[in-house]
Amino acid sequence: MTEHPGGRRIVTNISLSLDGRCAAPGDSQDMSWVMPYAHTDVARDHLTSLWEPATTALLGRVNAEGFLGFWPTVIGRQDTDPRDEAFAEWLVDTDKVVLSSTLGEAPWERTTIVDKPAAEVAEDLKATEGGDILVLSSAGVIKALLAADQVDRLALTVFPVFLGGGPRLFDEGLPAGKWALSSHAAGEHGTLAVVYDRVR
């Protein structure tokens, strides 16, 4: 288990289009714009650097259904990149907290369903022992945590496409604050992976 000297960190990871969108217009579940870039070395190495120090995954219900419906299926396949398989195994084995007001019980192992605001859940998790708390691509959860100034590490993979519409990650009225660049990498197809730490 990896412990951060300052206590547990809230680490958020999401893909962004060059025009600042976190989902395509009309269908937030349409990830076709991400797929050409998600299989690059820079994207895979970026994700690996985020999940390795993490001991909890925090997800919204929709993302949980997508992630946990897909990732376990890559384990053991001959054509799977070892980094993808390692992430899939981590996701299956790690503690998962899913925010939902509609799920009664978890259909996945090692999963707790919580019907509370994201900021409250994040605060509760930070008070416990463990490594990083990784929020995986759940835009609604990340927006709520940004609004509450609870994100300690902001990881973005920027893809060189304009979606021309759809929800933005950064809404008006976010708390003012400074961020320090922790790492950056550029890769195939113009993919850019950046990690910023909140300066407090």
Side-chain angles (χ1 to χ4, degrees):
M1 180 177 294
T2 307
E3 302 253 354
H4 188 256
R8 304 191 78 181
R9 296 181 298 188
I10 301 290
V11 179
T12 63
N13 182 51
I14 197 163
S15 301
L16 278 187
S17 65
L18 199 54
D19 58 345
R21 312 290 178 167
C22 53
D27 181 7
S28 62
Q29 298 312 299
D30 175 14
M31 298 304 287
S32 59
W33 63 280
V34 168
M35 296 321 292
Y37 309 101
H39 301 298
T40 58
D41 284 333
V42 71
R44 284 177 163 129
D45 291 344
H46 171 75
L47 183 58
T48 300
S49 74
L50 298 174
W51 69 255
E52 283 185 334
T55 56
T56 304
L58 178 59
L59 296 148
R61 177 189 60 81
V62 174
N63 262 58
E65 289 172 347
F67 270 69
L68 294 164
F70 168 74
W71 281 103
T73 68
V74 310
I75 297 171
R77 283 202 333 223
Q78 282 190 327
D79 60 341
T80 299
D81 185 284
R83 291 164 294 186
D84 292 345
E85 186 160 27
F87 170 69
E89 289 172 347
W90 172 83
L91 187 61
V92 169
D93 293 339
T94 202
D95 292 328
K96 293 167 284 291
V97 177
V98 176
L99 301 175
S100 175
S101 58
T102 56
L103 281 178
E105 57 185 58
W108 315 286
E109 292 182 11
R110 300 186 64 105
T111 304
T112 305
I113 306 296
V114 182
D115 182 9
K116 287 183 183 177
E120 193 177 321
V121 173
E123 201 168 307
D124 291 345
L125 286 171
K126 284 190 80 167
T128 63
E129 296 291 317
D132 288 345
I133 300 149
L134 180 57
V135 186
L136 290 162
S137 302
S138 296
V141 177
I142 295 172
K143 283 169 172 269
L145 296 175
L146 285 169
D149 197 15
Q150 285 190 314
V151 177
D152 301 303
R153 171 162 278 191
L154 176 67
L156 305 169
T157 315
V158 182
F159 300 137
V161 293
F162 276 15
L163 291 179
R168 293 187 179 278
L169 179 63
F170 303 112
D171 292 328
E172 291 290 326
L174 288 175
K178 291 186 177 180
W179 297 80
L181 184 66
S182 172
S183 67
H184 61 94
E188 307 121 276
H189 315 303
T191 301
L192 185 64
V194 291
V195 178
Y196 290 96
D197 286 331
R198 180 73 169 92
V199 178
R200 301 195 187 277

